Amino acid sequence: MQVSVRDNNVDQALRVLKKKLQREGVFQEMKLKQHFEKPSEKKAREKGEAIRRARKLARKKLEGEG
């Protein structure tokens, strides 16, 4: 991953880098790998994430119609 620094503006380059890393899911992956997650916990977490995604999608669909 590359970020170009313009006009010696390191702060802006860091912000851009953080955004790119967040978009790629690096921070989330690091958080998940900090400790061992039991398979049952992983299954429950993934199920919860799927439910949240479905609700969010349904909410967006309703807002689009109404």
Side-chain angles (χ1 to χ4, degrees):
M1 190 167 300
Q2 282 185 328
V3 176
S4 60
V5 179
R6 295 184 214 143
D7 302 326
N8 283 336
N9 196 347
V10 178
D11 293 330
Q12 181 187 9
L14 281 174
R15 277 197 308 270
V16 171
L17 177 64
K18 282 183 182 180
K19 254 186 201 174
K20 284 185 178 185
L21 290 173
Q22 192 170 14
R23 247 185 259 131
E24 293 292 322
V26 174
F27 291 128
Q28 185 177 8
E29 189 175 333
M30 283 177 14
K31 185 178 176 183
L32 289 175
K33 292 186 182 249
Q34 282 180 352
H35 60 86
F36 179 75
E37 185 176 28
K38 290 176 17 181
S40 60
E41 291 173 346
K42 182 178 179 182
K43 187 176 177 183
R45 177 182 52 80
E46 288 176 347
K47 186 176 181 181
E49 289 174 357
I51 290 170
R52 280 191 292 279
R53 274 194 310 272
R55 285 181 182 160
K56 185 176 181 180
L57 184 65
R59 196 169 43 242
K60 282 189 174 186
K61 190 174 181 182
L62 282 174
E63 288 175 0
E65 292 175 356

